[in-house]
Amino acid sequence: MASNGLSVAVVGATGAVGQEFLRVLSQRKFPIGQLTLLASARSAGKTATFNGRTYTIDELTETSFAGIDLALFSAGGSISKKFAPIAVEAGAMVVDNSSAFRMTDGIPLIVPEVNPQDIGDLALGRKPGIIANPNCSTIIMLVPVTPLHRAATVKRMVISTYQAASGAGAAAMAELEQQTREVLAGQQATCKIFKQQYAFNLFSHNSDMQPNGYNTEEMKMLKETHKMWHESAVRVTATCVRVPVMRAHAESINLTFQKPLTEDDARQILCKAPGVSLIDDRSNNRFPTPLDASDRDDVYVGRIRQDMSQDGNTGLDLFVCGDQIRKGAALNAVQIAELLV
Ligand code: A2P
C-alpha cells in the first residue's frame, strides 16, 4: 500500500459503471493514494477527472497491475476472465462486476448487507483474490428481501423486473436517448445494441435464452440467491424485462414464507434494514419509481402488502426500485472494497 493510501485501478473506466466507480470512490472518500484508469486501446490517451484532478486513461495490458492494491473491474466477462487472474497474480485484490466468476466455487459473491462474512480470509496485500459483485437485479432484490428472509424464511419468490438501459452499458443508454429523439421526430429508430426498438417499447431481457425457456438474467437471480443465502431450497422464478428507463431497475416481488409475517412486521423490519428506504404512501398512491432511486444509494420499497392469495399471512408483495449503476454495480463493489480496508 502507498503510504498515503491504496493504489487503485479501475478497469473499464470509460464505461457507465467505470464512471460511477469514480463518483462513488470520491463521494465515499475511499482511501486512494494512486489511481490508474484502464480501458481499451480505443480510449488510451483520453482523460477523466477524479477529485478535481485529470487522469489519462491507459490501455489495459498484462503489465497494468504492477503495484496495484485493488482493481475494480467492469469491462465485461471476457476481459475479467483474462485479466482478473493476472491482477491477482500481481498482488491486487479484484472486485469484479462481471458475471465471469460469480458462480465459481471458492470465489465469494458478496452483497455487504447480505453476506459480508463470505469474504473469509481474503485480505488486501496479505491474501489477494477475486470477489464477485452479483447481478444488478439480484442485488436490488436481496437488499430488502434478505431481512424478511431472516425473520420468516422465504420458501418461494416470484419476481418480475422492469430493467433500465444502463444494465446494457453506456452505449445502450445513448441508444435509448437517440431513439427517443428519432421517434419524436417521426424518424425510424436506429437499433444497434438491441435488436428491436427500445424507445416507447419494452421487451423480454436481451440476455441469452436457455433451453428451459428462461433467459440468463432470470437464471442469475435464482443461482446467485442460492449461493449468497447458502441454501438451495428456496424456489425462485423470474421474468426479466427491459423497459425504456435510463438507470434504475424496478422489480415486483411476491414472497411465500415458511412462518407467518404480517405486513406491519415486514414494514418494521424494512424500516430498520440497512440500504433500504420506504416510499409506501397508500393514501396518495405514492410508491417507488426509477427516478426516485436514480443516483441514490438505497433500494426503495413500497406496495408492501399481504398477498391475499396466500393463507395465514405467509405471503407478501413488494415493489422495489434501485439504481442499477450504483447499488446494482459500482456502489456495491466499492462497499465490498470498504470491507477490506
Ligand atoms: P472503451 O471505452 O475503451 O471501449 P459499458 O459497460 O458502459 O459499455 O463499458 C464497457 C467498458 O469496458 C468501457 O470502459 C470499455 O472501454 C471497456 N472495454 C471494452 N473492451 C475492452 C478491452 N478490450 N480492454 C479494456 N477495456 C475494455
Side-chain angles (χ1 to χ4, degrees):
M1 198 208 288
S3 56
N4 57 346
L6 296 167
S7 179
V8 175
V10 173
V11 180
T14 53
V17 174
Q19 290 288 299
E20 196 69 22
F21 275 142
L22 300 182
R23 276 189 287 275
V24 173
L25 289 166
S26 169
Q27 286 162 354
R28 296 176 76 87
K29 300 188 171 33
F30 194 83
I32 295 181
Q34 211 170 322
L35 181 65
T36 302
L37 302 184
L38 302 165
S40 76
R42 294 179 291 275
S43 301
K46 288 186 186 166
T47 57
T49 308
F50 178 75
N51 282 350
R53 255 189 71 187
T54 302
Y55 289 80
T56 303
I57 292 165
D58 294 323
E59 180 185 357
L60 171 66
T61 69
E62 297 186 7
T63 58
S64 295
F65 299 99
I68 299 291
D69 299 305
L70 171 72
L72 301 170
F73 274 67
S74 192
S78 57
I79 296 294
S80 292
K81 266 197 188 117
K82 177 171 175 196
F83 287 96
I86 293 171
V88 172
E89 188 61 30
M93 182 71 78
V94 169
V95 182
D96 180 31
N97 189 52
S98 82
S99 61
F101 300 103
R102 286 181 190 149
M103 296 313 298
T104 304
D105 282 344
I107 294 201
L109 180 70
I110 303 289
V111 176
E113 293 86 345
V114 174
N115 60 336
Q117 71 285 355
D118 287 348
I119 286 183
D121 60 356
L122 290 180
L124 277 169
R126 276 184 294 115
K127 190 172 179 209
I130 300 170
I131 301 173
N133 202 45
N135 166 267
C136 47
S137 301
T138 313
I139 296 174
I140 289 164
M141 169 177 74
L142 289 190
V143 168
V145 171
T146 300
L148 302 176
H149 176 58
R150 288 183 187 132
T153 311
V154 172
K155 274 200 325 198
R156 180 169 186 253
M157 289 194 253
V158 182
I159 312 109
S160 300
T161 70
Y162 310 76
Q163 296 187 220
S166 56
M173 297 168 82
E175 179 156 308
L176 175 57
E177 196 176 323
Q178 183 185 344
Q179 285 192 3
T180 304
R181 288 183 203 287
E182 288 170 340
V183 174
L184 287 174
Q187 297 161 1
Q188 184 77 25
T190 308
C191 299
K192 284 196 217 135
I193 303 291
F194 298 117
K195 290 190 195 118
Q196 49 205 319
Q197 182 178 322
Y198 191 21
F200 305 98
N201 196 13
L202 58 82
F203 43 79
S204 183
H205 195 276
N206 50 297
S207 57
D208 292 340
M209 190 47 72
Q210 308 293 289
N212 65 1
Y214 286 85
N215 59 48
T216 50
E217 184 82 356
E218 293 158 353
M219 293 307 295
K220 286 173 188 175
M221 296 184 81
L222 163 73
K223 291 177 185 169
E224 294 179 16
T225 299
H226 285 176
K227 179 165 176 172
M228 283 186 279
W229 279 5
H230 300 281
E231 98 134 283
S232 50
V234 57
R235 303 297 182 99
V236 180
T237 182
T239 301
C240 291
V241 172
R242 280 259 183 239
V243 297
V245 162
M246 210 44 95
R247 62 172 288 158
H249 289 353
E251 302 180 18
S252 159
I253 303 173
N254 176 262
L255 300 169
T256 305
F257 296 102
Q258 246 165 43
K259 294 177 258 178
L261 183 69
T262 66
E263 63 176 53
D264 288 340
D265 287 344
R267 200 169 282 114
Q268 287 309 314
I269 290 166
L270 290 168
C271 273
K272 293 187 213 120
V276 173
S277 289
L278 300 196
I279 303 178
D280 200 27
D281 180 357
R282 289 181 187 172
S283 54
N284 291 303
N285 203 0
R286 182 71 176 88
F287 302 109
T289 69
L291 289 182
D292 292 321
S294 293
D295 281 316
R296 309 301 282 265
D297 288 354
D298 279 0
V299 175
Y300 290 80
V301 184
R303 303 295 323 273
I304 303 165
R305 63 198 190 279
Q306 218 78 55
D307 170 3
M308 63 181 181
S309 74
Q310 301 193 58
D311 294 330
N313 289 340
T314 54
L316 205 68
D317 280 299
L318 310 172
F319 186 74
V320 310
C321 289
D323 187 309
Q324 184 279 328
I325 313 181
R326 217 168 160 87
K327 185 57 187 171
L331 171 65
N332 197 71
V334 172
Q335 287 173 318
I336 292 170
E338 287 170 348
L339 294 173
L340 301 161
V341 173

